Amino acid sequence: MGAESQADYDVIAVGAGFAGLGLIHYAREAGLSVRVFDKASDIGGTWTWNRYPGAASDSECYYYCLTFSQELLQEWQWSVRYPGWKENLSYMHFVADKCDMWPHIQLDTEISSADYQEDNGLWWIKTAAGEQFTCKYFVSAMGMISEPVIPSIPGMDSFDGPIFHSARWPEGLDYAGKKVGVIGSGATTVQMLPVMAETAGSVTVFQRTANFIMPAVQQSMTPKWEAEIKAHYDEIIDKCRNHVFGMAFDSPVGRNLADTPPEEVQQIFEEQWPRGSFRFVFETFDDLLTNPESNRIAGEFVISKMKEKVKDPAVAEMLTPKGYPFFAKRPPLDHGYYEAFNRDNVRLVDINEAEPIVEIDATGIRTTQNHYDFDIIVLATGFQAYTGAQEALPIRGRAGRLLRDKWNEVSSSIMGVFVADFPNLFMITGPQAPFANLPTSIEQNIMYIIDCIQKMENEGHDICDPLQQAEDEWVAHTAEIHAQTLMAQGDKVHSWMMGANLENRNPRVLIYFGGANVYYDKLRESAADGFPEVEFASLTG
Ligand code: NAP
């Protein structure tokens, strides 16, 4: 297919994680030639980069996977409810081996630029090593939380020991007996701390904002549970596809907290809490994310559970989230984070109010009140979500326009897939797509993209030109929905979900909050209607 285009490949994608692997499957099935590049030395995306101690998925294993093959679903065996990074990587190797994907993957290859060429409608892809390729369809499979944010703290270069971002964990780093400082207290630190605290000499967490944290409740996979999962995979996939968060949850539950007597509310919360995962939010009441009072009550419950675990009241006070609604920041899942603060070798420092960081020097971190000596400093400071990876390399569309320039003020797209002025560019989970169980969203996006490409191939189109008007409409629709959510309550929500974690950027609407299920429906409607958001054209007119 696509022979007339004289491109090296029909499809070139960057990123060999879930998105890249899924794309290989669906593209091949459509008869397209496909090549996936990754600068990493292994496939895995998130799971090849995030090797910090305790790194694990927060989605339950049996729906945190690709679903295109019953054979894969039936053959793979998970060992636990939330697999660690090694097990996730093994799973991805299993997929790549089983589906013979390796010939389509080129690792250790950094893409240095991608340019749309108006004369022949092809994308021209260059690698850092000087290779050049052309393709008809260029796909960003780079992940929505992959570009690390390095804070600009004075003196960072002067530290004598290892200092690195959590997603760039040095191989073989021995922290046993060492004094470790961790800047940041998001999902990464919540997973990392309990594991590190077991062998590190000491761990000091520098916290700017406290989180609402729910229990993960890790469990071993049992033969009975596995059999039950494998007998119900169609149902599980269907649940994910129709869930607001893309997860195999039983919701909506058909009741609101606002209409439930307080004693019953507490009873339902108590029953749900020990089950763990994000289920607490989605399988208790349907109005926790929409009704501010219901949200407040749920948040209070989460805080009360934290206070049962943390012995020192002063520390518990520091760990109490304040000034923003529950779920307005992505809540981490707890694998022993709170208990870790009861250990003698773990310390929490409030850098928001009590003692902001002043500088990093050769021996540690200086705050306004103290100097803390460290052997190792971990920057668990998060990511430029949704746009970081695409902006890290120059992607140039029509008239040489840079994607990163276009997104300077508004990270606009059409359904997180298309961008006006960037013909034949497709994004898997780009900005203004929902935030949901990623493999579900990834697969839904890929099917949509491949449908679009197949239509072009079948009908002889060379160019898929996203319409500016459709982009304006999606941006306005996404903003309108955002304004109705708890995320829009005040400007205190310092969340990466709005890019508020970036020092040189205004916060913006990065996520479609209308529900993943509604979004997946919209993708299907668009495909069924012949992709009205884009204009198809041929080079010969
Ligand atoms: P994050 O949630 O953005 O947390 C970053 C932390 O660093 C926050 O506490 C932030 O404070 C702090 N921070 C950022 N810049 C700082 C600065 N200049 N000075 C001091 N503190 C600073 O990042 P993350 O923990 O890596 O998690 C990001 C997302 O990745 C998660 O929400 C999740 O979706 C995903 N993730 C998933 C998993 C999983 O599923 N297993 C695991 C880890 C991460 P503020 O809150 O005040 O900004």
Side-chain angles (χ1 to χ4, degrees), residues 333-390:
L333 296 187
D334 180 12
H335 291 263
Y337 182 68
Y338 286 140
E339 282 93 341
F341 288 103
N342 297 333
R343 300 176 65 114
D344 291 339
N345 67 338
V346 174
R347 183 167 44 182
L348 183 64
V349 177
D350 171 4
I351 55 168
N352 187 39
E353 286 184 356
E355 43 176 318
I357 292 176
V358 174
E359 63 170 357
I360 294 177
D361 60 21
T363 56
I365 296 178
R366 182 183 305 286
T367 68
T368 51
Q369 308 295 320
N370 290 298
H371 185 276
Y372 299 89
D373 282 350
F374 295 121
D375 303 308
I376 296 167
I377 296 176
V378 184
L379 306 170
T381 42
F383 301 86
Q384 182 180 349
Y386 283 92
T387 58
Q390 294 95 325

